[in-house]
Amino acid sequence: MVYLSSFALSTEEMKNPNIYPYCVFENKGYDPLVFTPITILYGDNGCGKSSLLNIIAQKIGAKGFETYAYGQRYI
């Protein structure tokens, strides 16, 4: 099992930021996420909760993550 203490999205500019999931987090200016023993992600439908979890899952090599953007790396 992998335990994360924090996670930050890349600030690297993408060639085509309109491809999902780049567009979900474009120009949001998020601070790094700092996890506690119990961390809750909440928000409206379509705000990127599942996309964020998929990005984290791909980065840590978890099984079952979804691939987007025609197989391009988006982390």
Side-chain angles (χ1 to χ4, degrees):
M1 182 171 288
V2 176
Y3 292 95
L4 297 176
S5 59
S6 65
F7 187 84
L9 292 170
S10 174
T11 57
E12 181 181 339
E13 292 289 325
M14 299 279 98
K15 291 180 182 177
N16 186 354
N18 298 320
I19 295 175
Y20 182 83
Y22 306 112
C23 58
V24 175
F25 303 107
E26 182 182 26
N27 300 320
K28 299 289 187 196
Y30 290 114
D31 292 331
L33 295 169
V34 178
F35 299 107
T36 59
I38 296 176
T39 300
I40 298 170
L41 298 177
Y42 65 95
D44 294 333
N45 291 343
C47 72
K49 300 177 299 289
S50 296
S51 298
L52 180 62
L53 290 174
N54 276 313
I55 291 170
I56 293 170
Q58 183 179 10
K59 184 65 177 174
I60 66 173
K63 294 180 183 178
F65 65 85
E66 296 181 25
T67 302
Y68 298 106
Y70 309 104
Q72 296 179 33
R73 298 192 70 108
Y74 53 86
I75 300 170

